[in-house]
Amino acid sequence: MSTTEAFDFGALAAELKPRCQALVALYEQPRSALLPIMHLFQERQGYVSPEAIRFVADLLGLTAAEVEATVSFYTLLFRKPVGKYVLQVCRGLMCELNGAESIMSYFREKLGIGTLETTDDGLFSYEEVECLAACDRATCMQVNLEFVYSLTPQAIDSMIEAMRNGTYPVKPMAQTAKPDRTWKVNQDASIGTGGKSPGTLTSTDPDNAGGVGDPSGAIMLDHFVTESASFVARTRERFVRDARSIAEIVEEERPSTGSGLKGNGSNAGH
Ligand code: FES
């Protein structure tokens, strides 16, 4: 489809739902199907859209934040529209020792873009990534998640030319939205200055640990002091759930009294 047409996410979700459910059925825990499902959506939409994140969260009984936290961890999943060829060059130690610095400079110069950027024609997205676990064949990269090894300027020239001519053997990414110049996903700007995510400052949810951006722990401590009821409830709930292990830890910490309690688990569950 043309990238100017509005993408019908509802139709895609309806189509993929049976495959998603089949994936969920393969695992003991539904959340174990998260990554393969995200790949399904990325394969069809070209990236992991916010709609896909919400859909999968509902399907797996997770929050959107939990799904996004997983998706954002992997360089295999793209959270913004990208080019038809995503070029991810390894900048890990072994690749660096084998000349990755000059390979990366060559890519940047050849494409005219930096890391996490896309060319204006929407053909190439470029990223410098951490170790791709193919150190024995450094220098290496992935093209649309397929490995390419032993990079040289000549190999890069032929690769880019074949991609421009449409003859490169790796399938181009689906492109359902026009990529921006950068596909970097910015963090909440307030985090770097010690702020918190919106909505968590006044949260009374005992499972909400206070959001992010609290490196000193001062905001969290304030929660304990001003909202102690929430934390008492939380602690009780965890104690019931984890009673056995907590009781065992308490026993281990206790100085030996010769009472015979240590290590026998007799208090577990109380
Ligand atoms: S350092 Fe490049 S694959 Fe490991």
Side-chain angles (χ1 to χ4, degrees):
M1 72 175 278
S2 146
T3 54
T4 53
E5 281 174 45
F7 182 74
D8 186 350
F9 180 81
L12 178 67
E15 183 194 329
L16 292 184
K17 193 167 183 182
R19 289 177 68 189
C20 296
Q21 287 166 330
L23 281 166
V24 170
L26 292 177
Y27 299 96
E28 196 172 320
Q29 302 286 335
R31 67 189 307 153
S32 303
L34 201 164
L35 289 177
I37 290 176
M38 294 286 45
H39 277 290
L40 269 187
F41 278 94
Q42 177 165 282
E43 198 180 305
R44 297 292 300 279
Q45 204 173 0
Y47 70 112
V48 175
S49 65
E51 294 94 330
I53 287 177
R54 280 194 292 275
F55 175 82
V56 175
D58 286 348
L59 186 78
L60 302 181
L62 301 171
T63 65
E66 285 173 308
V67 175
E68 180 145 22
T70 304
V71 170
S72 63
F73 179 76
Y74 294 98
T75 52
L76 305 172
L77 296 166
F78 316 126
R79 284 183 296 154
K80 279 192 171 180
V82 287
K84 292 192 173 162
Y85 291 98
V86 179
L87 313 175
Q88 295 177 298
V89 180
C90 178
R91 64 178 175 198
L93 179 60
M94 287 310 295
C95 287
E96 281 281 358
L97 292 174
N98 265 7
E101 200 54 57
S102 61
I103 292 295
M104 291 187 288
S105 304
Y106 195 77
F107 264 115
R108 286 186 227 123
E109 199 175 312
K110 180 110 189 153
L111 300 172
I113 51 176
T115 189
L116 289 168
E117 289 190 343
T118 301
T119 51
D120 291 340
D121 59 4
L123 194 55
F124 302 106
S125 286
Y126 174 73
E127 183 180 13
E128 291 159 7
V129 296
E130 303 308 329
C131 179
L132 289 171
C135 309
D136 58 322
R137 301 185 69 182
T139 51
C140 72
M141 68 181 294
Q142 286 187 307
V143 174
N144 294 358
L145 309 185
E146 298 284 343
F147 276 96
V148 181
Y149 306 105
S150 308
L151 299 169
T152 61
Q154 295 73 24
I156 294 168
D157 286 346
S158 333
M159 171 195 296
I160 304 269
E161 194 184 336
M163 287 168 180
R164 288 201 168 115
N165 295 336
T167 56
Y168 193 72
V170 173
K171 197 171 133 207
M173 299 284 298
Q175 210 170 45
T176 59
K178 190 173 181 322
D180 291 330
R181 174 74 173 191
T182 177
W183 45 296
K184 184 175 190 323
V185 178
N186 288 325
Q187 284 191 333
D188 183 333
S190 68
I191 291 172
T193 55
K196 286 164 58 67
S197 297
T200 52
L201 259 179
T202 56
S203 173
T204 54
D205 176 357
D207 284 331
N208 182 339
V212 290
D214 180 20
S216 68
I219 300 172
M220 187 68 181
L221 181 60
D222 193 45
H223 271 281
F224 273 111
V225 173
T226 58
E227 301 166 28
S228 53
S230 300
F231 290 97
V232 169
R234 181 181 186 180
T235 305
R236 190 179 301 121
E237 176 199 314
R238 293 198 62 181
F239 184 78
V240 169
R241 193 181 64 203
D242 304 334
R244 185 178 178 79
S245 57
I246 291 173
E248 283 169 356
I249 291 165
V250 168
E251 279 304 308
E252 277 167 24
E253 296 291 317
R254 183 182 294 179
S256 176
T257 59
S259 66
L261 281 175
K262 188 174 172 66
N264 67 7
S266 62
N267 273 359
H270 298 289

